[in-house]
Amino acid sequence: MSSKKVLVTGAAGFIGFHLSKKLLQENFQIVGFDNLNDYYEVSLKEARLSQLRAHSNFSFVKGDLQDRSLIEKTFEEFNFDFVVNLAAQAGVRYSIQNPYAYLESNIHGFLNILEACRHHKPAHLVYASSSSVYGANKQMPFSVHHNVDHPISLYAASKKSNELMAHTYSALYNIPTTGLRFFTVYGPWGRPDMASFLFLKAILEEKPIDVFNQGKMKRDFTFVDDIVEGIFKLIPTIPRANSDWNALRPDPANSFAPYKLYNIGNNQPVELLYFIEVLEKKIGKKAIKNFLPLQDGDVPETFADVDDLIRDVGFKPSTSIEVGLGKFVDWYFDYYKIKTKKADH
């Protein structure tokens, strides 16, 4: 496996960077693809990328997923064994204000990846979906075997669309595809629009933090290393057509085609107020809380059923919020060269 060539789109992004680093350490040949857009500070993306460029088995292509000719040229040049598509326009709330960005990147861009896979036949396409696809579902924990036809944000709808598009290409062209529904990922090198980042910065600057749903929101916060380990184990786990699939009682998680879906979550929801409390303890400083109602597009709770992940690859995310936030705080203080004394952790 270590000699295999892998395309990682979104390689300068949060999860893409961590996955690329892991694959490089395992001696895979990695081609990173990213447009380095300014959705958040480009310097953070460049800092991630500079770490990846230090590896001799890393190559980088700068461009947009929407650039069909560049995608085709990249696939033609490198002849990938595996493709991991993590590039996307992220953010539930941003999708309310900027809907077209999601159509261009998450739909058009993903179509270009699917078409390239159709013509160049990598062994497996793994792509990022999201826990947001569960939308209005109330049945807990969220299972890949549940129906997810009621999204409540365009971001969620774009991710559900990716799953449908992948299934179509699996069925028409026998392309093995695996969709990964990530649950609230956090950790070192995270995105500045994420709760851990926003809260920590505001607490240090003694500014109020917005606490939605009066703090009663629950999230299945998942440490980035656990997400990466799940992806790493699933890349060589190539889905096969399920000969027992029943069209009269269709299971959304698999198919008559080589298609699979998995949740990757911590399987242990944490209330937002406790999340903030842990952060406060890690830095030895109290937050100023601005309590607000639930925002449009947000769901009150997420909770991942990871039974399929455990069964198929023998792995379950398990990093506690206390350990994970401790590592995030350590990274943040180091990266931004903050001298303030932190609490012991």
Side-chain angles (χ1 to χ4, degrees):
M1 285 291 294
S2 63
S3 62
K4 300 293 186 183
K5 200 170 289 181
V6 185
L7 171 66
V8 179
T9 71
F14 175 34
I15 300 173
F17 159 70
H18 281 282
L19 177 66
S20 297
K21 205 166 152 187
K22 165 80 171 174
L23 292 171
L24 289 166
Q25 288 164 355
E26 298 288 339
N27 294 316
F28 283 78
Q29 299 295 313
I30 302 302
V31 176
F33 188 100
D34 205 295
N35 65 0
L36 299 174
N37 70 24
D38 61 0
Y39 172 63
Y40 59 83
E41 57 189 73
V42 178
S43 60
L44 181 58
K45 299 180 181 184
E46 288 172 339
R48 295 180 188 132
L49 195 55
S50 69
Q51 291 205 7
L52 301 178
R53 287 187 195 271
H55 294 260
S56 60
N57 48 334
F58 180 78
S59 305
F60 181 66
V61 177
K62 184 178 180 182
D64 287 313
L65 286 189
Q66 302 96 287
D67 186 340
R68 194 195 313 180
S69 61
L70 179 60
I71 294 289
E72 174 60 29
K73 180 184 170 188
T74 303
F75 272 73
E76 183 75 42
E77 181 179 348
F78 290 102
N79 191 29
F80 301 111
D81 297 291
F82 301 103
V83 175
V84 184
N85 184 58
L86 300 175
Q89 180 57 61
V92 168
R93 289 170 195 157
Y94 189 74
S95 72
I96 308 282
Q97 284 85 38
N98 298 276
Y100 288 99
Y102 292 78
L103 183 68
E104 290 156 6
S105 177
N106 300 7
I107 306 297
H108 291 171
F110 190 56
L111 178 61
N112 289 338
I113 292 291
L114 287 168
E115 274 291 296
C117 288
R118 170 190 172 189
H119 294 296
H120 296 278
K121 305 292 184 190
H124 191 191
L125 165 62
V126 178
Y127 62 95
S129 184
S130 166
S131 62
S132 67
V133 300
Y134 289 102
N137 284 30
K138 296 291 185 192
Q139 188 177 346
M140 297 285 173
F142 291 152
S143 169
V144 287
H145 305 286
H146 295 165
N147 183 283
V148 289
D149 284 341
H150 298 88
I152 57 173
S153 71
L154 190 65
Y155 172 67
S158 74
K159 290 299 188 178
K160 169 66 174 172
S161 299
N162 285 173
E163 295 177 1
L164 295 172
M165 293 163 73
H167 184 270
T168 302
Y169 274 69
S170 293
L172 283 175
Y173 308 114
N174 202 39
I175 299 168
T177 65
T178 297
L180 308 179
R181 294 174 178 172
F182 299 143
F183 281 69
T184 317
V185 192
Y186 74 99
W189 296 97
R191 295 200 325 260
D193 64 330
M194 294 169 143
S196 53
F197 220 109
L198 292 169
F199 290 171
L200 179 54
K201 185 173 188 290
I203 293 168
L204 291 172
E205 293 173 359
E206 298 182 353
K207 294 178 179 176
I209 60 173
D210 289 338
V211 183
F212 294 103
N213 202 34
Q214 314 304 321
K216 300 194 186 310
M217 229 134 62
K218 283 189 174 182
R219 287 289 178 269
D220 204 343
F221 291 103
T222 312
F223 191 59
V224 67
D225 289 0
D226 285 338
I227 292 284
V228 165
E229 190 63 27
I231 303 171
F232 178 71
K233 287 180 178 297
L234 284 166
I235 289 171
T237 307
I238 299 171
R240 308 290 178 211
N242 180 3
S243 57
D244 296 325
W245 193 82
N246 187 342
L248 297 175
R249 290 192 301 279
D251 179 355
N254 56 73
S255 174
F256 59 88
Y259 168 90
K260 281 287 290 182
L261 293 172
Y262 292 95
N263 287 334
I264 306 187
N266 209 42
N267 192 233
Q268 193 174 342
V270 171
E271 191 168 82
L272 190 56
L273 281 177
Y274 182 71
F275 180 88
I276 295 165
E277 188 182 312
V278 173
L279 254 187
E280 290 172 330
K281 285 179 181 173
K282 296 297 176 192
I283 60 175
K285 203 175 177 86
K286 284 287 187 183
I288 305 163
K289 303 178 190 75
N290 179 30
F291 290 99
L292 294 167
L294 190 68
Q295 277 211 321
D296 289 344
D298 271 350
V299 296
E301 182 176 0
T302 63
F303 181 7
D305 177 335
V306 291
D307 287 353
D308 286 23
L309 186 68
I310 296 167
R311 181 195 67 220
D312 292 351
V313 297
F315 174 71
K316 175 186 176 181
S318 60
T319 304
S320 71
I321 199 73
E322 293 83 4
V323 170
L325 278 179
K327 290 182 177 180
F328 168 70
V329 169
D330 285 345
W331 167 80
Y332 188 97
F333 274 69
D334 181 61
Y335 182 77
Y336 289 104
K337 298 178 172 55
I338 295 168
K339 304 296 184 189
T340 309
K341 186 180 183 298
K342 304 187 293 298
D344 292 336
H345 55 278

